[in-house]
Amino acid sequence: MIGAVIAAAGKGLRAGFEKNKLLMPLGEKTVLEETVRVFSESGLFDEIVIVASETDEREIQSLFPALKTVRGGATRTQSVLNGLRASRADIVLVHDGARPYVTKEILSDCIESVKKYGSGIAAYPAKDTVARAKNEKITEICGKENIYILQTPQGFYREELLEAYEKAPGEYPDESSLFAAGSRTPRLCKGSPQNCKLTFREDFGFPFRVGNGYDTHPLVQGRDLILCGVKIPHDKGLLGHSDADAPAHALTDALLSAAGLRDIGTYFPDTDEKYKGANSLELLRKTLELVKEQGYVPENASVTILAQRPKLAPYIEQMRRNLANVLAIPVSFVGISATTTEKLGFIGREEGIASYASVLLKKNS
Ligand code: MG
């Protein structure tokens, strides 16, 4: 018999909500409902036990009338113990209620690992170097080779985990540490960065950000006309401190805006000699780095160019390729449209060219 113990007895206060973060909405349902749904719909479990705090017990019971709810203890280690005692399963997967993005594949891999090796700890290899530090001083650099980030589910034979509780009483950050303290060797199984734990308020946010940008430059004799990095034969060109690539500037501002940063002039001032005649695609490339520092990458971009003349249709594909190349997204994710203004206004009088841009950023996880 295979069971799950879902730990939901924490206060979840670091998220800064007035109540347990697990009872906050994530889409249409609560975080805890989303987590439990993955377990129920996987069809892998004969029994699901939810451990709830005294405060939330009634609300959690009412959300899951068909499941067993038990009262947690003072700490996570104690809470999980209460869950294990209430369980009748042979194999049990302990899981954080705050990890709703767990998948059926992760759950089944964990179960298989317990069957084969006696335990399964969901984990993935560290991408960055990991260090131990005290008072902001690094005391040990652990590197990233053979370093894994541990998550839940953590699966065991229930009797063996209960034995570890008897052999090594104490408080542990997770069940793998307890199992190891009980002198058994936990075994890694498939985890994923997507199987993240919702801890802070921003974790609950929609992982996308949208941004808009606009730019215009005057058309004058004796300048090259450069749009999205393409030099277009014409009797006039755009005037500016840089190459005056208006759509590239609009897109740059859209990226900065979506990332919650200041505008193009803040990062690339037109008073700086460094940017005189600058290739605006290079500025766009630098902007992408700023956006990445904020933890986002572009998903798609959409640009509109307003010009009475020349006809831009023959150059659109090259423009799309240029932008896609800089943004590191497929060409099909870059849309560029060109329009005249039917001879109206400064654009219609061919005094200038303008551009609008929108971009969608997604969290870089
Ligand atoms: Mg500009």
Side-chain angles (χ1 to χ4, degrees), residues 81-137:
L81 178 60
N82 294 357
L84 293 172
R85 282 179 175 152
S87 168
R88 287 167 298 124
D90 307 303
I91 287 177
V92 68
L93 268 56
V94 179
H95 189 68
D96 300 322
R99 291 186 195 269
Y101 304 123
V102 66
T103 61
K104 181 178 178 178
E105 199 189 351
I106 289 174
L107 296 175
S108 87
D109 198 65
C110 183
I111 293 168
E112 288 312 307
S113 177
V114 178
K115 285 181 182 167
K116 262 195 205 153
Y117 308 109
S119 63
I121 312 300
Y124 65 93
K127 285 189 280 188
D128 297 312
T129 302
V130 173
R132 196 184 296 279
K134 202 173 179 187
N135 299 328
E136 289 168 24
K137 285 184 188 141

Side-chain angles (χ1 to χ4, degrees), residues 215-217 249:
D215 194 30
T216 186
H217 281 268
H249 292 179

Side-chain angles (χ1 to χ4, degrees), residues 146-206:
N146 304 321
I147 299 279
Y148 288 82
I149 308 299
L150 304 189
Q151 310 180 309
T152 69
Q154 302 196 350
F156 311 88
Y157 283 103
R158 190 172 63 93
E159 287 304 326
E160 293 185 2
L161 187 56
L162 284 169
E163 267 171 36
Y165 268 93
E166 276 174 28
K167 270 169 101 175
E171 297 303 326
Y172 298 92
D174 66 355
E175 291 61 52
S176 69
S177 340
L178 168 65
F179 196 66
S183 48
R184 287 180 188 269
T185 306
R187 170 104 184 184
L188 298 178
C189 64
K190 184 186 164 57
S192 155
Q194 274 75 46
N195 175 31
C196 61
K197 190 174 184 177
L198 304 184
T199 305
F200 300 109
R201 203 176 186 121
E202 55 266 32
D203 296 337
F204 289 72
F206 191 59

Side-chain angles (χ1 to χ4, degrees), residues 53 61 75 88 96 99 102 120 141-142 238 247 263 273 304 348:
S53 69
Q61 255 163 4
T75 62
R88 287 167 298 124
D96 300 322
R99 291 186 195 269
V102 66
I141 295 180
C142 315
L238 292 176
D263 60 19
E273 270 307 295
T304 303

Side-chain angles (χ1 to χ4, degrees), residues 258-288:
L261 297 169
R262 299 286 298 278
D263 60 19
I264 184 169
T266 311
Y267 297 97
F268 312 108
D270 61 11
T271 48
D272 191 332
E273 270 307 295
K274 201 164 53 186
Y275 300 117
K276 189 157 192 253
N279 175 347
S280 296
L281 292 189
E282 279 310 311
L283 307 186
L284 190 61
R285 206 181 297 278
K286 285 182 183 154
T287 301
L288 185 65

